[in-house]
Amino acid sequence: MKFKLKTSDPMPPVTIQTNDDVEFFLEEVVSGMEFRNPLCITFERRSISTVPVDRQPSPRLSWEESHAFSSHVPPSFPILSSNNFTEVNEFVTEVDCLDEPPLAVDLALGDNTPAPISSRTSNNGHVPRINLLASSSNLLATEVSGDTDVSMVKEVFESKEALQEKLKALAVKKRFQFKTPKSDKDLLVVVCMDDNCKWRLRASRLKGCNMFEIRKYYNVHTCSLDSQEKDNRQASSKLVGKNFRHKFDGASSTYKPADIMQDFQKEFGYEISYHKAWRAREFAMEMVRGSPADSYHLLPSYMAMVEKKNPGSRTFIEKDSANNFKYCFMAIGSSLRGFTSCIRPVIAVDGTFMRGKYKGTLFIATSLDGNNQLYPVAFGVGDSENDASWEWFFMKLRESIGDVPNLVFISDRHGSIKKAIDKVFPTVGYGICTHHLKRNVNAHFKEVDVGALFELAAKAYRPIKFTQYMNVIRSVSLNVHQYLTDAGYEKWARSHFEGRRYGIMTTNIAESMNSVLKEARTLPIHKLMDCIIDKLQEWFAKGRDLAMDACTLMTTWVEKQLKGKLDKSHTYPVIQINFHEFIVKDGDLDGHVDVLQKTCSCNEFQIDQFPCEHVVAVCKHMRNYSVYDLCAHYYSVNAWVTAYAESIYPVGPQEEWDVSEEVRAYVLSPPMKKREVGRPRTTRIPSQGEDIVHRKCSRCGLRGHNRLTCTAATPLSEQEHGPTANQT
């Protein structure tokens, strides 16, 4: 088969493959579009080997019958005569019959008579394709880095949008731009931005569905290289975001717009604006993590799955009259049972701000296991740290843990926390964080430095020691002494506390949990809860392995503490009073130990439920007493194993959630308060009296940034040999 084109300028051949292509050509002519290429088709005799066929050959198509096609030619179509065939550029193409069945050919056909149409038709009813698209290949991925060439004609896409995304990816990879002369629900036509370029594609919607099929595609560019620009209009924020969405699989949000700009330029050679990079980052995060607004709609189903996957878990959701979110609470059953059975009954509570689209506060209640590691108890989300939100959180916490004997809460000096505890837990002990109180002292009384004296007074076990340190503070500053007195000794001094703090003097354990969830607080709310469960699952598995590998009676941390006390007390003389009472000489105030009552005059034994130096000395002196028998059961390996014995299970993908219709029908909208317009704050506001630590860069030696964000030029000598010895 030959295509002969007569035109003033040398041009590549027009692709004609199927009847649809012929109709398209005719429609273009009828529409009045400038089409400089008249169409001429001739046939030449070709040597084709024949194969025997069982059926009779199809009737021949006579030359007169072939003229019936002229009835479909519009009047405006340029009919060619024999004079048009002089001095033409010929482009001969071979018929691609690799996938076609053998042809049944009637050898009686004349030299210039085409083979019967019925014999040239393939199994699927299409005339065999002409191989004019040799450089094309499948476009299987929307990411720019994937395979982005569009396949041959008849390639089908699930929607017009899917095809457009493929074309955008192709344009970015092949470094060209296109425009869309026509686009509606049934048709899509795209051409190169350069009017002199013949690259074009036409696709239409299949009947009865939204799928689009490529009808015509010419993939050779004849545009000038001068038409290329620094940016590409097809490099949309969505396309860029899809290409870098793998950077946001976890909770980390450290991949910044500037990083996207730099990586996109390195990988594809295009410069994109900061605003486009920022929108790409937002799109990628929403694509991976979901919409913050939709996350609130999913929260009831998610909480129902938490209770289903982890029996005994407690979840609550509170909304206002307009169905807007107010509060939520989550406590995992494994953690609750572990806390009530084998964890020291001291809970540190704290609140920290959410960093997502909607404003809010994350409430945390956590404790320490027998190995002195974090053991989270419950989590909640509210609008802010106010009286109503803290009271609601403590009410749900009490419903979850019940009445725990000798329970103690520790927090900062936030007034709403104290009010809520007094109302919900009126009989429990309450202490304030000594670290926060120390910072308040430093902020109010900058002219004096009593921080070290305050810590000694707060941690003293003996009341007489506490009095000595407070007298020194009073001699330094009467105002500081009065301030600490007004704060209440029973709230911050270990020697005066009504209850047992088990050595937990600060809310550092809650602050540590805040730090662990720093990046997770940027996630949508149900993703935040999912991140918390993932972290608990990881910690429980690790704690279980450590406990099972322990080969001692007490936890690793307790063994280390006992070893230290033994080293200090091995020179202490022990004087026996009776079978269970002893005097231990320590060179200071000595210790009166009653092993039967588990007391010591230093108060450390009964406060911490842990042998002090005097008790360790007695156990060493009297072989019939074991130091392990005098430790509270919270510190034993058995309790350690029990605390982590149960597993925590993830909720799983949303597609596998199995919840009731009642839960699905639960209407929950996002809260009314959104984050303020502008760049969001990523660091918390320092507390009163808190010292701000400015990091020092290990690369340039300056303060206020670190090595990763350093912009200083690095000398060549340092690049080759590293920093010099005298560099600061």
Side-chain angles (χ1 to χ4, degrees):
M1 182 182 291
K2 289 185 178 180
F3 289 176
K4 293 186 177 182
L5 309 173
K6 183 175 181 180
T7 177
S8 58
D9 300 327
M11 300 187 67
V14 176
T15 304
I16 299 296
Q17 294 180 318
T18 65
N19 294 337
D20 293 333
D21 296 332
V22 176
E23 294 176 4
F24 162 70
F25 180 83
L26 298 178
E27 289 174 2
E28 295 284 46
V29 175
V30 173
S31 64
M33 294 182 61
E34 182 181 356
F35 202 90
R36 294 181 296 168
N37 296 337
L39 175 65
C40 175
I41 302 178
T42 62
F43 296 88
E44 64 179 0
R45 184 171 183 174
R46 301 185 61 85
S47 298
I48 305 177
S49 60
T50 63
V51 297
V53 293
D54 297 333
R55 61 180 176 82
Q56 294 294 327
S58 301
R60 298 189 226 171
L61 180 66
S62 66
W63 185 251
E64 290 76 17
E65 291 174 332
S66 66
H67 280 69
F69 288 107
S70 62
S71 61
H72 298 285
V73 180
S76 60
F77 184 79
I79 303 297
L80 303 181
S81 64
S82 60
N83 297 331
N84 297 111
F85 285 33
T86 60
E87 298 179 0
V88 298
N89 297 320
E90 294 187 2
F91 300 86
V92 181
T93 62
E94 301 295 337
V95 178
D96 186 5
C97 297
L98 296 179
D99 298 328
E100 303 297 334
L103 299 180
V105 181
D106 187 354
L107 297 179
L109 293 177
D111 293 347
N112 295 324
T113 306
I117 294 179
S118 60
S119 65
R120 296 186 293 111
T121 304
S122 62
N123 295 334
N124 56 10
H126 294 296
V127 176
R129 297 177 181 177
I130 299 176
N131 189 17
L132 294 181
L133 303 177
S135 63
S136 64
S137 59
N138 288 331
L139 178 61
L140 301 176
T142 49
E143 294 85 350
V144 179
S145 58
D147 188 4
T148 50
D149 287 344
V150 179
S151 180
M152 297 174 63
V153 176
K154 298 298 180 183
E155 182 78 14
V156 178
F157 297 85
E158 62 181 8
S159 65
K160 184 176 72 172
E161 291 73 18
L163 174 57
Q164 289 174 323
E165 290 299 317
K166 305 286 187 180
L167 292 174
K168 290 179 181 179
L170 174 66
V172 173
K173 183 178 181 181
K174 299 298 184 181
R175 303 190 62 80
F176 71 92
Q177 301 184 68
F178 63 81
K179 56 186 177 182
T180 308
K182 188 172 184 180
S183 176
D184 56 35
K185 65 179 183 178
D186 297 320
L187 182 65
L188 175 66
V189 178
V190 295
V191 298
C192 182
M193 284 290 296
D194 191 339
D195 295 334
N196 297 322
C197 181
K198 292 304 177 182
W199 183 94
R200 64 187 291 113
L201 182 142
R202 178 188 178 95
S204 61
R205 184 172 65 89
L206 298 178
K207 294 182 179 180
C209 64
N210 293 324
M211 302 179 70
F212 263 66
E213 181 183 37
I214 297 178
R215 301 290 189 180
K216 181 178 180 62
Y217 175 53
Y218 183 70
N219 69 336
V220 178
H221 280 276
T222 59
C223 48
S224 172
L225 296 178
D226 295 334
S227 62
Q228 295 190 5
E229 301 179 1
K230 292 183 178 180
D231 195 3
N232 191 315
R233 64 185 296 175
Q234 268 69 54
S236 62
S237 58
K238 290 185 178 180
L239 183 68
V240 177
K242 287 182 179 180
N243 194 69
F244 293 106
R245 67 176 183 267
H246 63 280
K247 299 285 187 178
F248 303 94
D249 287 340
S252 175
S253 60
T254 57
Y255 196 65
K256 305 298 183 183
D259 301 325
I260 296 178
M261 296 172 61
Q262 182 179 2
D263 291 348
F264 196 79
Q265 200 280 331
K266 285 182 179 179
E267 190 169 351
F268 306 108
Y270 285 113
E271 297 179 3
I272 60 176
S273 64
Y274 182 89
H275 183 60
K276 180 182 287 188
W278 181 85
R279 286 186 286 112
R281 179 176 179 268
E282 293 294 311
F283 177 81
M285 288 195 297
E286 183 171 332
M287 186 178 183
V288 174
R289 304 170 180 177
S291 168
D294 294 341
S295 182
Y296 286 94
H297 301 318
L298 294 174
L299 188 60
S301 298
Y302 181 86
M303 292 299 197
M305 287 302 300
V306 169
E307 295 185 355
K308 185 174 183 179
K309 291 279 188 171
N310 299 275
S313 299
R314 305 282 290 179
T315 62
F316 302 94
I317 297 177
E318 183 84 10
K319 60 181 181 179
D320 58 18
S321 57
N323 293 325
N324 296 116
F325 173 87
K326 286 184 65 177
Y327 316 120
C328 75
F329 178 93
M330 181 181 72
I332 305 301
S334 303
S335 181
L336 291 175
R337 289 186 289 272
F339 172 76
T340 55
S341 63
C342 47
I343 298 296
R344 287 171 283 179
V346 179
I347 298 178
V349 294
D350 193 23
T352 183
F353 64 95
M354 303 278 282
R355 303 170 61 198
K357 179 179 179 180
Y358 295 94
K359 297 180 67 175
T361 300
L362 175 65
F363 303 123
I364 297 175
T366 187
S367 57
L368 289 176
D369 64 10
N371 200 41
N372 224 40
Q373 301 298 312
L374 294 179
Y375 196 89
V377 178
F379 301 87
V381 175
D383 50 356
S384 64
E385 289 195 78
N386 52 50
D387 294 353
S389 60
W390 272 118
E391 181 180 342
W392 187 88
F393 177 77
F394 279 113
M395 287 176 60
K396 301 309 176 185
L397 180 61
R398 178 157 192 173
E399 293 180 26
S400 302
I401 64 176
D403 294 328
V404 179
N406 303 317
L407 181 62
V408 171
F409 285 103
I410 300 176
S411 72
D412 56 21
R413 300 185 69 189
H414 199 289
S416 297
I417 299 178
K418 181 63 169 62
K419 292 179 182 178
I421 292 176
D422 290 342
K423 187 173 183 179
V424 181
F425 292 93
T427 60
V428 304
Y430 172 72
I432 60 177
C433 174
T434 56
H435 182 69
H436 284 84
L437 183 58
K438 175 185 174 181
R439 289 196 307 206
N440 291 340
V441 170
N442 293 336
H444 286 87
F445 308 99
K446 298 180 180 179
E447 67 280 359
V448 294
D449 184 9
V450 295
L453 289 171
F454 168 77
E455 288 188 358
L456 292 173
K459 295 179 180 180
Y461 286 96
R462 297 175 185 261
I464 189 172
K465 285 288 186 181
F466 171 81
T467 303
Q468 291 176 0
Y469 294 132
M470 289 300 295
N471 289 336
V472 177
I473 292 176
R474 183 170 56 183
S475 65
V476 174
S477 174
L478 289 174
N479 293 332
V480 173
H481 185 274
Q482 186 62 42
Y483 181 84
L484 295 176
T485 303
D486 295 340
Y489 296 161
E490 72 283 356
K491 295 179 182 178
W492 59 270
R494 180 150 49 188
S495 58
H496 290 70
F497 187 76
E498 298 177 358
R500 295 170 181 164
R501 297 180 65 148
Y502 292 91
I504 304 175
M505 301 300 298
T506 68
T507 57
N508 181 59
I509 54 177
E511 298 283 356
S512 298
M513 198 67 206
N514 292 343
S515 179
V516 169
L517 299 175
K518 179 179 179 181
E519 298 299 337
R521 286 184 274 129
T522 64
L523 300 176
I525 187 167
H526 88 281
K527 287 290 186 179
L528 167 63
M529 298 300 171
D530 206 35
C531 185
I532 291 174
I533 291 181
D534 289 343
K535 184 60 65 176
L536 293 181
Q537 181 183 0
E538 175 188 346
W539 286 353
F540 264 61
K542 184 178 179 180
R544 187 182 307 114
D545 292 340
L546 292 175
M548 294 297 292
D549 293 340
C551 56
T552 57
L553 294 177
M554 296 292 121
T555 65
T556 305
W557 175 78
V558 171
E559 289 286 345
K560 184 177 180 180
Q561 297 295 316
L562 292 175
K563 181 63 170 59
K565 295 178 184 296
L566 179 62
D567 293 340
K568 291 182 179 180
S569 63
H570 73 279
T571 59
Y572 293 173
V574 178
I575 302 174
Q576 185 173 1
I577 301 176
N578 52 45
F579 182 74
H580 55 84
E581 289 184 279
F582 305 88
I583 298 294
V584 180
K585 300 289 186 179
D586 61 4
D588 187 12
L589 297 177
D590 300 337
H592 184 183
V593 178
D594 188 335
V595 179
L596 186 61
Q597 298 296 326
K598 292 186 177 181
T599 61
C600 180
S601 58
C602 71
N603 288 338
E604 181 177 351
F605 189 20
Q606 51 267 39
I607 290 177
D608 293 344
Q609 296 290 285
F610 189 80
C612 60
E613 298 173 6
H614 307 108
V615 176
V616 172
V618 170
C619 293
K620 181 183 177 183
H621 180 75
M622 303 295 295
R623 294 296 182 179
N624 55 333
Y625 292 114
S626 173
V627 67
Y628 297 121
D629 295 336
L630 301 178
C631 294
H633 76 283
Y634 306 119
Y635 303 111
S636 66
V637 170
N638 290 335
W640 191 16
V641 171
T642 304
Y644 296 101
E646 298 187 44
S647 301
I648 295 179
Y649 296 94
V651 170
Q654 180 182 343
E655 294 76 12
E656 298 180 359
W657 292 359
D658 182 17
V659 297
S660 64
E661 290 299 327
E662 181 182 359
V663 174
R664 294 182 185 275
Y666 190 89
V667 179
L668 184 65
S669 301
M672 297 300 295
K673 291 185 178 181
K674 289 187 178 182
R675 192 177 62 193
E676 292 83 358
V677 177
R679 186 180 294 273
R681 186 182 183 92
T682 57
T683 57
R684 67 181 181 86
I685 300 174
S687 301
Q688 191 175 31
E690 181 178 357
D691 295 330
I692 302 177
V693 179
H694 295 284
R695 298 183 180 274
K696 182 178 180 180
C697 178
S698 60
R699 184 166 175 261
C700 67
L702 300 179
R703 295 186 179 275
H705 65 275
N706 56 27
R707 186 181 184 86
L708 295 177
T709 58
C710 182
T711 58
T714 304
L716 182 60
S717 59
E718 182 179 336
Q719 295 178 9
E720 296 178 351
H721 307 291
T724 58
N726 58 355
Q727 184 177 357
T728 59

